Amino acid sequence: MRPAAFRNFLLLASSLLFAGLSAVPQSFSPSLRRATGAACRLSRAESERRCRAPGQPPGGALCHGRGRCDCGVCICHVNEPGVYFGPLCECHEWVCETYDGSTCAGTCHCGRCKCDNPDGNGLVYGKFCECDDRECIDDETEEICGGHGKCYCGNCYCGSGWHGDKCEFQCDITPWESKRRCTSPDGKICSNRGTCVCGECSCHDVDPTGDWGDIHGDTCECDERDCRAVYDRYSDDFCSGHGQCNCGRCDCKVGWYGKKCEHPRSCPLSAEESIRKCQGSSNLPCSGRGKCECGKCTCYPPGDRRVYGKTCECDDRRCEDLDGAVCGGHGTCSCGRCVCERGWFGELCQHPRKCNLTEEQSKSLCESADGILCSGKGSCHCGKCICSAEEWYISGELCDCDDRDCDKHDGLVCTGNGICNCGNCECWDGWNGNACEIWLGTEYP
């Protein structure tokens, strides 16, 4: 071979070799130094760029903070009990995050859980592979949640009208009716102490030995544990032995008082004399708004100055509307009755005597959907209905509500402890029950 041809051959081979080395991935190149101890062929900025994770800005951690950058190549630290590895030291096998105190339910790979799905159906998933939707498969139909619901992390959430662990049972009532039947007096489903199944509450019974249990009631509203001096599921020591437990509240015998009837009482009056003194001119002791103790009333709720009087006959809460405004801001309250300022009238001083609306404008605001003025049970004044005083039970913005639908207790609508709002009792603080007949507030002093 001639010298010129040989030189051309060497130049071609060198070019091919350099091109091949340039195509080798960065992670496979140990260094871009010509020799040990030689200077790096890359600039500092380029070297650091190659050691920085994609997307990280200049100045960010090099090699994920787990190694040092040597001419564009990460030299990972070695720490017990394992080593960091990967082109950018991004893997650390021994620190897979845990769930429920154990390592990931799948295979730990490069610091992350890799879920085992041999069938390729993706039913096992989650950051820790903690979700296994195979638990939702119905054994008979082999469908997820029987085909009547959706599975989230191994739990079936049934569609309307279906229930069961695998949504295998169908309800014979509508979901709305089921929810209505399970709603407790305080508006919670099964009092937040049970599960609603087709309109019936299954209470979370904390007593594994009893058939009836400590939590009971149609909507799980009663908790008998509240009647025990010291809760012990093997004891029947209700109300300290001096009273009767009524839906989690102690009704003490004569001569005893306290939340759990734990305090003895001495009173020179007989029970009949005591009640007579507490009644006054009312049909109920303490006007149904307090507790009678030896002829003296303690008004509900304790410390609320709006309820007062010798027999708790004054209740200034009756001057408040549903938003809490006293006499509509146009009057003062005196023993539960509004005394209106000049220019205003109504039970809650809610009606102005002067009106800036025309008669047509006023009537248009008083007409119900069927075009009847105030539902035919009242008169219209300045765009608001004034319901007939002869029919005390008629209420509502358009006189379309019947307060007789509100529950009574001891002959009183909402027991006098709440406001009847279109057939439903809106109980005041501390009271509960369909008729606001249950006191759930603090113990009396």
Side-chain angles (χ1 to χ4, degrees), residues 1 10 12 18 120 168 248 276 288-289 369 394 426:
M1 184 179 295
L10 288 177
L12 177 62
F18 181 79
E168 66 271 31
R276 194 181 307 116
R289 304 186 190 101
I394 300 301
E426 299 281 348

Side-chain angles (χ1 to χ4, degrees), residues 18 59 63 118 140-141 173 204 254 356 419 429:
F18 181 79
C63 305
E140 295 183 2
T141 64
I173 58 176
H204 301 324
V254 176
N356 296 324
I419 298 176
D429 290 342

Side-chain angles (χ1 to χ4, degrees), residues 200-245:
E200 294 184 1
C201 285
S202 176
C203 303
H204 301 324
D205 189 357
V206 299
D207 187 350
T209 64
D211 295 332
W212 182 40
D214 296 300
I215 298 175
H216 64 96
D218 291 339
T219 56
C220 306
E221 71 275 15
C222 301
D223 190 347
E224 303 305 309
R225 293 174 299 174
D226 294 337
C227 290
R228 301 188 181 189
V230 178
Y231 178 65
D232 179 1
R233 64 190 179 94
Y234 300 107
S235 170
D236 291 327
D237 184 22
F238 291 106
C239 303
S240 306
H242 306 299
Q244 183 176 355
C245 187

Side-chain angles (χ1 to χ4, degrees), residues 178-402:
S178 175
K179 181 179 179 181
R180 187 190 70 81
R181 293 185 186 182
C182 289
T183 301
S184 57
D186 58 2
K188 299 175 182 176
I189 302 299
C190 299
S191 305
N192 284 349
R193 293 185 288 197
T195 304
C196 183
V197 179
C198 287
E200 294 184 1
C201 285
S202 176
C203 303
H204 301 324
D205 189 357
V206 299
D207 187 350
T209 64
D211 295 332
W212 182 40
D214 296 300
I215 298 175
H216 64 96
D218 291 339
T219 56
C220 306
E221 71 275 15
C222 301
D223 190 347
E224 303 305 309
R225 293 174 299 174
D226 294 337
C227 290
R228 301 188 181 189
V230 178
Y231 178 65
D232 179 1
R233 64 190 179 94
Y234 300 107
S235 170
D236 291 327
D237 184 22
F238 291 106
C239 303
S240 306
H242 306 299
Q244 183 176 355
C245 187
N246 181 19
C247 195
R249 179 180 173 182
C250 284
D251 292 331
C252 302
K253 296 177 182 178
V254 176
W256 294 89
Y257 74 101
K259 188 176 181 180
K260 297 177 182 177
C261 306
E262 67 272 29
H263 302 299
R265 182 192 305 283
S266 58
C267 179
L269 301 177
S270 66
E272 292 77 12
E273 290 174 328
S274 176
I275 291 176
R276 194 181 307 116
K277 280 197 169 189
C278 288
Q279 278 183 325
S281 59
S282 173
N283 294 326
L284 295 173
C286 304
S287 306
R289 304 186 190 101
K291 186 174 183 179
C292 181
E293 298 175 335
C294 198
K296 293 184 179 180
C297 288
T298 304
C299 302
Y300 295 146
D304 193 335
R305 296 183 178 180
R306 294 174 298 176
V307 184
Y308 56 96
K310 186 176 180 180
T311 58
C312 306
E313 68 273 15
C314 296
D315 189 350
D316 287 355
R317 295 174 300 183
R318 294 191 171 279
C319 295
E320 300 177 2
D321 58 20
L322 291 175
D323 295 325
V326 177
C327 300
H330 307 297
T332 56
C333 187
S334 175
C335 197
R337 292 181 179 273
C338 285
V339 180
C340 301
E341 298 172 352
R342 182 177 297 179
W344 294 86
F345 71 100
E347 187 178 354
L348 297 175
C349 306
Q350 71 271 40
H351 300 298
R353 293 193 181 276
K354 292 184 179 180
C355 183
N356 296 324
L357 300 177
T358 65
E359 187 174 353
E360 290 183 358
Q361 289 174 329
S362 177
K363 286 184 177 180
S364 66
L365 295 173
C366 291
E367 289 182 353
S368 54
D370 53 9
I372 300 177
L373 198 69
C374 298
S375 305
K377 300 174 183 177
S379 59
C380 183
H381 174 75
C382 202
K384 291 186 178 182
C385 288
I386 302 176
C387 302
S388 173
E390 296 178 0
E391 298 176 291
W392 62 267
Y393 46 85
I394 300 301
S395 65
E397 291 185 2
L398 298 175
C399 301
D400 50 349
C401 297
D402 191 337

Side-chain angles (χ1 to χ4, degrees), residues 287-289 315 317-318 409 412-418 428 435-436:
S287 306
R289 304 186 190 101
D315 189 350
R317 295 174 300 183
R318 294 191 171 279
H409 184 71
L412 293 176
V413 174
C414 302
T415 325
N417 301 317
W428 286 313
C436 306

Side-chain angles (χ1 to χ4, degrees), residues 145-164:
C145 301
H148 307 297
K150 294 184 178 180
C151 185
Y152 297 99
C153 203
N155 295 296
C156 281
Y157 293 83
C158 305
S160 298
W162 293 87
H163 66 99

Side-chain angles (χ1 to χ4, degrees), residues 104-105 113-115 117 122-132 153:
C104 70
C113 285
K114 184 178 181 181
C115 303
N117 282 290
L123 293 179
V124 182
Y125 59 94
K127 184 177 180 180
F128 314 98
C129 302
E130 72 278 12
C131 296
D132 189 349
C153 203

